Amino acid sequence: MSGPDRAFHRAIVNAAGNTVPTESYDTLRSRRQRVAVRALHARPGRLPVIGAEHRALVAAIDRHDTEVALGVLDQHLRPVSEVVSTAVDPTYGVPAPANDRNGR
């Protein structure tokens, strides 16, 4: 996670004007970095997509278009949950062996 990327994310969190999410965001810095590295390692072609999502989010915020902003956020954060799920459960997304599908 680059300095400008960290600053972008922190500005979004901080914009709510509530110090609790900002403090939580700051506290989780090393964890966020590990997830970001894993996400980019898993999907290296995603870097330009991330930049486009950031620009789309800023444009939606500038237009006060909550619906579009939330859609962009959902799209932007979806890969993170997939990476975290994979890190927690290495079998995430791997079909069960045929003999285990019915609990046997």
Side-chain angles (χ1 to χ4, degrees):
M1 193 178 237
S2 71
D5 189 66
R6 272 193 308 276
F8 174 81
H9 285 108
R10 190 174 192 286
I12 295 293
V13 172
N14 198 40
N18 184 337
T19 60
V20 174
T22 302
E23 289 169 5
S24 295
Y25 182 82
D26 291 342
T27 300
L28 296 170
R29 180 179 180 199
S30 64
R31 184 170 294 173
R32 282 191 333 274
Q33 286 179 305
R34 286 192 304 272
V35 169
V37 167
R38 278 192 152 175
L40 288 175
H41 185 271
R43 295 181 180 179
R46 208 170 127 61
L47 195 54
V49 173
I50 291 169
E53 290 168 347
H54 285 177
R55 289 187 295 279
L57 181 58
V58 168
I61 291 169
D62 283 347
R63 291 190 313 272
H64 302 278
D65 191 334
T66 304
E67 187 175 329
V68 170
L70 290 174
V72 172
L73 278 173
D74 181 59
Q75 178 181 353
H76 184 63
L77 296 175
R78 187 173 300 128
V80 174
S81 65
E82 292 170 4
V83 168
V84 170
S85 296
T86 303
V88 172
D89 179 4
T91 63
Y92 176 80
V94 177
N99 61 350
D100 278 352
R101 288 196 181 127
N102 294 318
R104 294 176 255 180

